[in-house]
Amino acid sequence: MLIQINNHMLRVSLRFYGDLNDLLFSGFTGPTIHRKLSVPTSVKDLIEGCGVPHTEADLILTNGQPVDFSYLVQVGQHISVYPFFNHFDLPPSKRLQKPTLTHNRFLADANLGKLARYLRMAGFDTAYIHDQSDEEIISQMLGEKRALLTRDRKLLMHKVIEYGYLPRSDDPCEQMEEVFRRFHLTDHVNPFSRCPNCNGKLQDVAKKQIIDRLEPLTKKHFDDFSQCPDCGQIYWPGSHRQRMDERVKKLLRIDG
């Protein structure tokens, strides 16, 4: 990023790398973006003014040196913005994002309902919200210490959001793959331990306790059952697993 002061304006050029270019607001085209600023601004505000939420930037360099989001842009500097690194050994002290979460808990907004179900099927505590204001979403996220999953770029730009991710794909299976890569979830999968409908933690239940709720063929062919203590839904290893998308099966590490 190059800055020059002329008639009290900061003339700025930015370079975004990788899929960050897909997040740019219309009107901004790469590889180099030119802007004029009336006052000095932070790197966070600068990149978000182009459409890229701070949660999506993992490394920002000025003259080859890493800076944090509060850094104020200076005259004559070159600034480059990089996406999250999955396969690059970057020292933690230089990263702006943490590669893993202390607790793998998520909050998915209204546009990611199917992703929320998939994450629950994988065993991850995933709350799902709809028809709530940004303030209510952020309050729940902070109160429950969850990472926010949303395709609302402006929502992710709130300063208080430390852990978040914007899925790039429209396809729920691909969104799940993205979230697994971003937060390194593969080794933490616990399939079918949570209720896909309400997120309750499933408990084993004796067949005799729920036999009056089972269909004849289910009674005949299955003996192992679990039940959600929150909504009462009953689960067993039935044909729905065979109909599951193969990409989801792979992530859940199940066969057939």
Side-chain angles (χ1 to χ4, degrees):
M1 173 174 169
L2 178 63
I3 304 174
Q4 297 179 338
I5 299 180
N6 183 19
N7 296 328
H8 306 292
M9 296 291 290
L10 296 178
R11 298 183 181 276
V12 178
S13 62
L14 303 94
R15 178 71 183 266
F16 292 90
Y17 289 85
D19 65 359
L20 295 184
N21 286 284
D22 298 333
L23 301 179
L24 297 174
F25 289 139
S26 60
F28 293 115
T29 56
T32 302
I33 296 172
H34 299 277
R35 297 190 63 190
K36 295 180 181 180
L37 305 175
S38 59
V39 295
T41 187
S42 68
V43 166
K44 176 184 180 297
D45 290 342
L46 187 61
I47 67 172
E48 291 186 336
C50 296
V52 178
H54 67 278
T55 56
E56 309 309 299
D58 196 20
L59 176 67
I60 299 178
L61 299 178
T62 64
N63 291 343
Q65 297 299 315
V67 297
D68 62 24
F69 292 120
S70 65
Y71 180 83
L72 293 177
V73 295
Q74 304 292 322
V75 174
Q77 292 181 324
H78 301 272
I79 297 183
S80 302
V81 187
Y82 296 87
F84 183 80
F85 292 98
N86 278 300
H87 305 291
F88 185 73
D89 188 16
L90 187 68
S93 61
K94 295 183 179 181
R95 305 189 78 143
L96 296 172
Q97 309 297 333
K98 293 183 179 180
T100 59
L101 301 171
T102 303
H103 305 287
N104 290 318
R105 292 195 293 263
F106 300 95
L107 179 61
D109 75 358
N111 296 316
L112 298 174
K114 198 159 188 179
L115 171 62
R117 287 181 60 87
Y118 284 160
L119 288 173
R120 292 169 179 175
M121 290 169 63
F124 297 109
D125 182 351
T126 307
Y128 173 65
I129 51 175
H130 56 87
D131 297 328
Q132 291 181 258
S133 67
D134 287 0
E135 290 73 19
E136 291 171 324
I137 293 172
I138 292 171
S139 177
Q140 182 175 349
M141 177 203 70
L142 294 174
E144 299 177 3
K145 294 181 173 58
R146 296 179 182 274
L148 180 62
L149 304 176
T150 177
R151 300 197 74 193
D152 183 342
R153 286 182 290 181
K154 291 187 177 180
L155 176 57
L156 283 175
M157 291 179 185
H158 285 270
K159 187 176 182 179
V160 297
I161 298 179
E162 184 176 1
Y163 304 108
Y165 180 70
L166 191 155
R168 311 302 197 256
S169 176
D170 294 325
D171 179 79
C173 291
E174 293 178 359
Q175 291 171 353
M176 187 179 183
E177 292 170 344
E178 290 181 39
V179 173
F180 267 52
R181 286 194 301 269
R182 168 61 183 83
F183 295 106
H184 300 279
L185 299 180
T186 300
D187 292 335
H188 303 282
V189 169
N190 185 14
F192 309 113
S193 60
R194 285 191 175 271
C195 177
N197 294 330
C198 76
N199 196 41
K201 198 166 185 179
L202 300 183
Q203 299 175 352
D204 291 337
V205 61
K207 184 176 182 179
K208 63 182 180 181
Q209 292 182 249
I210 45 90
I211 196 165
D212 60 328
R213 296 180 55 185
L214 303 178
E215 296 293 333
L217 289 178
T218 304
K219 292 179 185 179
K220 179 179 180 180
H221 294 290
F222 298 96
D223 296 308
D224 298 322
F225 297 88
S226 59
Q227 186 173 26
C228 176
D230 297 331
C231 71
Q233 182 67 43
I234 298 170
Y235 296 93
W236 62 93
S239 61
H240 63 283
R241 296 191 185 184
Q242 280 68 49
R243 295 194 302 268
M244 188 181 298
D245 189 293
E246 291 298 326
R247 294 170 295 176
V248 176
K249 288 183 184 179
K250 183 177 179 180
L251 290 172
L252 299 187
R253 296 180 170 180
I254 61 175
D255 299 321

